[in-house]
Amino acid sequence: MSSIGTDTNHDHDSLSVKDASTGTAQTSSYAASSVTVEVSERATVRRVDWRMLPLLGFLYSVTIIDRSNMGIARTAGMGDQLGLDDGNRFSVVSCVYFIPYILLQLPTNLVLRKFGARNCLTFYIFGWGCVEIGMGFCKSWKTLAWCRVLLGAFEAGFFPALIYIVSTWYTRQEVQTRIAGFLQGSIAISGFGAVLSYVLTLMDGIGGYRGWSWIFIIEGIATVGCSFLGFFFVPDFPDKNNFLTKEQTKIILRRVEDDRGDSVPDGITRSKIVHHLKDWVLWAHGFFSPIILFGMGWSVSETLLLSAPPLVAAALSAFIFAWVSDRSGQRGIFIAIQSCMTITGMLITGYADGNGVRYFGIFVFSAGASGCMSSIIAYNANNIAGQSKRSVSSALLVSFGGIGGILGTTVFRQADYPRYIPGMWAIIGAQILMLSLLSVTTITYSTLNKRAKKTGEPLEGQVGFFYIL
């Protein structure tokens, strides 16, 4: 009996050891599998980063360069040759660009999925490149004005499409860093645009054309070339991409679905568009955009805001705020901080004594105004579920930005030189208004989050979705 009992105990001990070994092996296998999935996910996101952000940043820098070469062309002889210095002709030619730019934002974004992001972006870039070439051959200011109208029409759909596309690839906690990356990177690249334009003015007289004509002709040809670059390499929406494997595509779609439940696009219908346009929060978000661009009104004084050091500081500040904001999962507080930086910088620049202190003020408000743009784009993208609403909201955001561009070019009058006090107070007032709107949206989002947690009622039609404050 004793012998039998001993054998039984031995068998039991052996079985326990085997079970323990099996459990340990299973745990180890699960842990290893989790690590493998995490590594694969990180690698996939990095591949998307490198394929998308440098290219989109470069292409957006092309739009900035093409849009901002009017001033240099004017000083290079265009003003005299086309009679732009008579009356308000130059202001008319500059402002007519914004009419189609504002009006066509929403329609172009609504057809983006139907025709494909790559096809649409290629068409836009090719179109405005051809228009810019044509601007080099203009013989009158009226012809130039019509070219500017066409330029605004082709460029209208570009930036909202970039925002829409980027927001569909990443989770809400990742999007601001990515937007800051391509946006600030493009601004840094575009800083070389003035140098390029100056070099092209040295071609004055070649082929019988003035230097200002060569600015438009050469830069237009380069833009047309970029359209082919876009056709072959611009990534489409995640579900339509052709550069990831099927498994990698599933990883991207799963991450977006887990984050906000809109990896599968919902159809865009007239009733949905009307419904989204009735959402007052979208309009509030849209109003943030012109205030920020309005806050960058110093751009009319090219020796100040557009000088390299403040731009470098602004880019660095934007990256830091974007990184901290993504890590903390907070948006509103950082928008408020950067808005206060804009106000502080304006006051320093307007009222401080000594050029050194005033120049420091330019660094402060440049960092606040420029960096806040990516924060607002992320704030808008984070609090939307459903691709039809995302399409409408990104178009509204950028179209309102066009209004801010118009305001920013009118408040800094030469009569107020050198401190531009009225323009500065206009910007400060706009920043205070934005802070008020931010308070309203934050209270609204917070209230809706609490109600959803208490009642279980889904927000934005997505179970488990909560607004990011």
Side-chain angles (χ1 to χ4, degrees), residues 176 180-181 183-185 187-188 308-324 338 341 363 366-368 370-372 374:
Q176 184 174 338
L183 188 59
Q184 300 301 322
I187 292 174
L311 284 179
V312 172
L316 180 61
S317 174
F319 280 121
I320 293 173
F321 274 105
W323 186 86
V324 175
Q338 291 175 105
M341 288 172 59
F363 275 80
S366 296
S370 180
C372 202
S374 55

Side-chain angles (χ1 to χ4, degrees), residues 377-401:
I377 293 172
Y379 184 55
N380 175 68
N382 284 172
N383 292 310
I384 291 169
Q387 293 201 21
S388 62
K389 190 172 185 178
R390 194 173 301 280
S391 175
V392 172
S393 67
S394 60
L396 282 179
L397 185 71
V398 181
S399 62
F400 271 64

Side-chain angles (χ1 to χ4, degrees), residues 87-323:
N88 61 350
R89 289 178 179 179
F90 185 79
S91 297
V92 171
V93 170
S94 298
C95 288
V96 292
Y97 164 90
F98 289 102
I99 298 174
Y101 184 80
I102 294 170
L103 295 178
L104 295 178
Q105 300 273 340
L106 182 57
T108 53
N109 234 29
L110 293 177
V111 301
L112 196 61
R113 286 204 65 95
K114 180 177 181 179
F115 295 105
R118 184 183 65 174
N119 294 331
C120 287
L121 293 180
T122 300
F123 174 72
Y124 301 152
I125 299 170
F126 183 84
W128 89 62
C130 291
V131 171
E132 191 166 15
I133 294 173
M135 289 170 66
F137 296 98
C138 287
K139 302 298 182 183
S140 71
W141 74 273
K142 292 182 179 179
T143 306
L144 182 65
W146 280 111
C147 286
R148 290 280 295 175
V149 170
L150 290 175
L151 190 67
F154 280 111
E155 289 192 0
F158 189 73
F159 189 46
L162 297 189
I163 297 174
Y164 181 18
I165 294 168
V166 171
S167 67
T168 61
W169 279 90
Y170 298 100
T171 65
R172 291 184 292 168
Q173 283 70 34
E174 298 169 338
V175 73
Q176 184 174 338
T177 305
R178 270 68 184 187
I179 290 175
F182 91 78
L183 188 59
Q184 300 301 322
S186 64
I187 292 174
I189 295 173
S190 66
F192 295 97
V195 177
L196 174 61
S197 296
Y198 171 75
V199 171
L200 293 177
T201 62
L202 301 180
M203 297 177 64
D204 188 51
I206 296 179
Y209 294 101
R210 298 289 303 275
W212 67 266
S213 292
W214 285 113
I215 293 175
F216 294 121
I217 294 171
I218 299 300
E219 291 185 0
I221 292 173
T223 300
V224 171
C226 288
S227 69
F228 294 100
L229 180 68
F231 180 77
F232 289 108
F233 296 105
V234 164
D236 215 306
F237 293 100
D239 55 303
K240 293 183 176 182
N241 85 86
N242 58 5
F243 71 95
L244 295 179
T245 65
K246 290 183 178 180
E247 289 302 318
Q248 289 174 325
T249 300
K250 289 179 181 178
I251 289 174
I252 294 295
L253 294 176
R254 174 183 56 77
R255 295 173 78 251
V256 172
E257 189 65 28
D258 292 344
D259 179 58
R260 57 180 182 271
D262 67 355
S263 63
V264 178
D266 57 321
I268 298 177
T269 63
R270 181 179 299 178
S271 61
K272 284 186 178 180
I273 295 171
V274 173
H275 174 73
H276 297 327
L277 289 175
K278 290 179 180 179
D279 189 344
W280 70 269
V281 176
L282 291 187
W283 293 92
H285 282 184
F287 194 73
F288 289 165
S289 183
I291 292 175
I292 294 303
L293 292 181
F294 186 47
M296 296 173 70
W298 266 103
S299 60
V300 298
S301 182
E302 295 178 356
T303 59
L304 297 177
L305 184 59
L306 293 184
S307 60
L311 284 179
V312 172
L316 180 61
S317 174
F319 280 121
I320 293 173
F321 274 105
W323 186 86

Side-chain angles (χ1 to χ4, degrees), residues 11 31 60 183 199 250 270 273 280 289 344 355 357-358 405 443 445 459:
D11 292 341
Y60 186 58
L183 188 59
V199 171
K250 289 179 181 178
R270 181 179 299 178
I273 295 171
W280 70 269
S289 183
T344 302
N355 290 336
V357 179
R358 296 183 66 210
I443 293 171
Y445 285 152
L459 297 172

